[in-house]
């Protein structure tokens, strides 16, 4: 237990100097936007395209966060860029490492307009042969799924494309994941090649209620001349915003995950209230129409296991019926409790019975091992600092989690 409670790492100093906070960032712009931004500060028209390519490489292949590291950009040009733009990383307020290797960063982004600085959480989950980064899209959420901790926090604001992308850049920095550059002070040495190979938009917020920024960020993350993540290794999870599911397929083309959680409208209305607006029939129609589906490219259906609520064999049978004809995998998520919730996680036996039935019907149905529970990094446990439990409460909660689940589950 001592181990877990002593996981907090000392806060790092702000990586973005206060004077730069108001400067626009070059990160998170499309090539076209970046070209316009450069032209606006006097870069000659004939040079714009070349400069954009140069910057793109430095920002997204080499991962630099300091203009002076752009060695093939003339000193004059670097000075111009420094006067007008920032490429600094967000401030890391806190970094926690779970006993299972999961890492959680609390990041602070500067105020936008009249607003205040905001804080969000990003989680890295190392697994055998891959590492998954769970990215947030909003501060809080407008939706109020009854089993979700984030859903208890009001929406503060959407994250910008820069802020969504910054989570990936920061994680790659901290994991020593950018090639060909000096390791910056404070970097965590990569543990035998563990790196960010996969990205899931499953952190705080509903990504499809922040469509434009999520789209820009994901298109940059999957750009072949930059961060180069394969679209097959990027998954966007939605509670089911039907019109934007169609747009995601057409305009972004990443893998889709649906937070299903119930197979009947009456129950889903309660668990995932957006179901009242986009009921199961419409949701499943959008799923069937998702482009490029095949056995190798399936939709993930997330299903949180809530004791006595949605975990009966009858539910499992209806689930199989509902998904008929859709290339699907079903991700069973043991409910992650949080202080104040009335739900309980289904028993392991019940989860296995449920999983066995679905497996027998031909669907892969991995049970998602809860990760990073001791640092409140598991699904639905993310909340920003402004709304987090007071430290004492948190420690009591962590102790309760260990007592209930053991330190390693
Ligand atoms: N808003 C998006 C993405 C973020 S939530 C969405 O709802 O899909 C990521 C996943 O965690 C979703 O499937 C969500 O339903 C699930 N989740 C939320 N709270 C949870 C909890 N307490 N325990 C387990 N899973 C939870
Ligand atoms: Fe928002 Fe997703 Fe949580 Fe629902 S499950 S409240 S959509 S973050």
């Amino acid at each position: 237990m001592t181990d877990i409670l002593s996981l907090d790492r000392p806060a790092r100093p702000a990586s973005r100097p206060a004077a730069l906070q108001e400067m626009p960032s070059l990160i998170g712009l499309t090539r076209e936007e970046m070209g316009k931004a450069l032209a606006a500060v006097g870069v000659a028209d004939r040079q714009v395209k070349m400069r954009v390519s140069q910057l793109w490489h430095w920002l997204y292949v080499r991962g630099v966060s300091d203009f002076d590291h752009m060695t093939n950009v003339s000193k004059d040009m670097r000075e111009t860029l420094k006067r007008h733009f920032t490429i600094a990383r967000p401030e890391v307020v806190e970094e926690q490492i779970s006993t299972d290797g999961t890492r959680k960063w609390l990041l602070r982004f500067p105020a936008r307009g009249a607003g205040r600085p905001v804080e969000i959480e990003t989680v890295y989950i190392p697994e055998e042969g891959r590492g998954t980064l769970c990215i947030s899209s909003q501060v809080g959420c407008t939706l109020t799924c009854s089993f979700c901790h984030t859903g208890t926090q009001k929406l503060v604001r959407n994250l910008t494309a820069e802020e969504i992308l910054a989570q990936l850049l920061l994680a790659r920095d901290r994991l020593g994941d950018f090639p060909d550059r000096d390791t910056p002070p404070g970097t965590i040495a990569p543990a035998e090649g563990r790196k960010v190979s996969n990205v899931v938009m499953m952190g705080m917020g509903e990504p499809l209620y922040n469509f434009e920024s999520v789209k820009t960020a994901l298109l940059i993350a999957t750009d072949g001349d930059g961060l180069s993540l394969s679209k097959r290794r990027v998954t966007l999870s939605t509670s089911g915003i039907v019109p934007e599911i169609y747009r995601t397929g057409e305009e972004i083309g990443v893998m889709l995950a649906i937070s299903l959680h119930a197979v009947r409208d009456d129950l889903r209305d309660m668990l995932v209230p957006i179901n009242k607006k986009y009921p199961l029939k419409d949701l499943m129609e959008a799923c069937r129409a998702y482009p490029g589906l095949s056995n190798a490219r399936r939709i993930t259906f997330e299903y949180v296991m809530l004791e006595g609520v949605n975990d009966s064999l009858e539910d499992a049978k209806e689930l199989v019926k509902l998904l008929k004809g859709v290339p699907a995998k079903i991700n069973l998520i043991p409910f992650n409790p949080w202080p104040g919730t009335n739900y309980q996680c289904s028993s392991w036996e019940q989860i296995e019975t449920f999983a066995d039935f679905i497996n027998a019907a031909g669907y892969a149905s991995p049970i998602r091992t809860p990760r990073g529970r001791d640092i409140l990094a598991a699904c639905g446990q993310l909340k920003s600092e402004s709304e987090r439990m007071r430290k004492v409460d948190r420690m009591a909660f962590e102790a309760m989690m260990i007592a209930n689940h053991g330190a390693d589950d």
Side-chain angles (χ1 to χ4, degrees):
M1 186 188 295
T2 339
D3 234 20
I4 290 180
L5 296 180
S6 65
L7 285 173
D8 285 7
R9 292 289 177 273
R12 279 175 29 122
S15 34
R16 188 196 290 254
L20 294 181
Q21 289 191 1
E22 297 307 319
M23 282 194 175
S25 178
L26 284 179
I27 291 165
L29 302 181
T30 62
R31 281 190 176 77
E32 201 190 345
E33 287 165 346
M34 196 187 283
K36 282 189 183 148
L38 295 182
V41 301
V43 175
D45 281 353
R46 64 192 150 71
Q47 276 201 3
V48 164
K49 204 165 169 223
M50 179 271 287
R51 291 293 181 207
V52 169
S53 298
Q54 263 181 337
L55 284 168
W56 203 266
H57 178 82
W58 282 113
L59 294 177
Y60 300 128
V61 177
R62 302 285 293 274
V64 305
S65 51
D66 181 340
F67 287 113
D68 281 331
H69 292 162
M70 300 182 170
T71 45
N72 65 353
V73 176
S74 71
K75 194 153 189 303
D76 281 357
M77 177 55 65
R78 294 201 308 253
E79 291 307 318
T80 306
L81 294 173
K82 269 192 248 176
R83 270 199 309 279
H84 296 282
F85 304 109
T86 174
I87 51 172
R89 300 286 186 255
E91 178 185 349
V92 180
V93 180
E94 188 176 35
E95 176 174 79
Q96 289 176 282
I97 305 177
S98 159
T99 42
D100 66 14
T102 301
R103 296 170 199 268
K104 183 168 81 167
W105 295 281
L106 179 68
L107 305 180
R108 181 176 296 145
F109 294 112
R112 304 268 167 202
R116 291 211 302 235
V118 293
E119 292 172 349
I120 55 102
E121 289 173 339
T122 304
V123 179
Y124 175 71
I125 306 154
E127 286 170 295
E128 194 63 36
R130 70 174 182 183
T132 303
L133 189 70
C134 180
I135 291 184
S136 296
S137 56
Q138 299 182 308
V139 186
C141 189
T142 45
L143 302 177
T144 51
C145 304
S146 52
F147 53 87
C148 174
H149 201 201
T150 308
T152 64
Q153 188 191 346
K154 285 207 178 77
L155 178 75
V156 178
R157 72 165 168 82
N158 282 337
L159 293 179
T160 63
E162 177 213 347
E163 291 164 341
I164 295 167
L165 213 49
Q167 298 171 61
L168 174 56
L169 297 176
L170 189 278
R172 292 191 65 170
D173 266 358
R174 301 289 289 168
L175 296 161
D177 216 3
F178 276 116
D180 308 321
R181 56 182 284 224
D182 294 331
T183 305
T187 299
I188 301 165
E192 281 110 40
R194 277 181 186 167
K195 293 176 179 181
V196 181
S197 59
N198 294 53
V199 162
V200 292
M201 296 297 304
M202 291 187 188
M204 290 167 70
E206 169 48 59
L208 295 189
Y209 271 170
N210 186 13
F211 188 84
E212 294 303 333
S213 296
V214 167
K215 171 182 163 181
T216 303
L218 292 186
L219 290 181
I220 294 174
T222 54
D223 185 292
D225 292 326
L227 291 157
S228 281
L229 273 169
S230 156
K231 285 192 179 179
R232 300 176 74 127
R233 288 174 173 265
V234 176
T235 303
L236 182 151
S237 173
T238 177
S239 55
I241 317 300
V242 166
E244 271 68 37
I245 292 177
Y246 289 100
R247 287 190 67 195
T248 302
E250 284 156 24
E251 299 174 37
I252 315 181
V254 293
M255 306 297 283
L256 187 66
I258 301 287
S259 293
L260 190 64
H261 307 314
V263 288
R264 301 186 322 267
D265 279 320
D266 58 341
L267 181 59
R268 196 161 189 272
D269 283 351
M270 275 164 49
L271 298 179
V272 186
I274 195 66
N275 192 68
K276 292 181 204 153
K277 188 161 183 194
Y278 303 116
L280 282 167
K281 184 175 161 293
D282 299 354
L283 178 60
M284 293 314 297
E285 210 169 289
C287 289
R288 287 201 166 79
Y290 200 74
L293 291 185
S294 68
N295 243 354
R297 222 172 159 262
R298 287 175 289 175
I299 295 181
T300 302
F301 289 87
E302 293 154 285
Y303 198 94
V304 65
M305 296 301 290
L306 302 169
E307 183 166 53
V309 176
N310 65 352
D311 63 348
S312 69
L313 205 51
E314 217 30 62
D315 289 302
K317 284 180 190 164
E318 283 194 46
L319 179 57
V320 169
K321 257 197 237 157
L322 186 74
L323 299 186
K324 206 165 187 299
V326 184
K329 12 180 202 205
I330 298 155
N331 213 334
L332 297 180
I333 317 176
F335 171 62
N336 288 309
W338 37 273
T341 181
N342 291 324
Y343 293 109
Q344 282 189 338
C345 184
S346 310
S347 69
W348 197 249
E349 244 185 320
Q350 192 60 27
I351 298 178
E352 274 186 334
T353 310
F354 200 98
D356 287 348
F357 182 85
I358 295 166
N359 269 321
Y363 290 99
S365 55
I367 301 168
R368 197 190 285 170
T369 327
R371 299 294 302 263
R373 269 185 172 180
D374 52 327
I375 55 169
L376 282 186
C379 291
Q381 290 185 316
L382 302 185
K383 260 190 136 184
S384 63
E385 175 73 15
S386 55
E387 289 245 340
R388 284 189 329 163
M389 288 173 271
R390 285 184 304 124
K391 182 115 179 162
V392 245
D393 293 348
R394 201 177 74 202
M395 288 169 84
F397 178 63
E398 283 165 350
M400 179 190 92
M401 289 307 308
I402 297 157
N404 287 351
H405 300 277
D408 289 324
D409 74 353

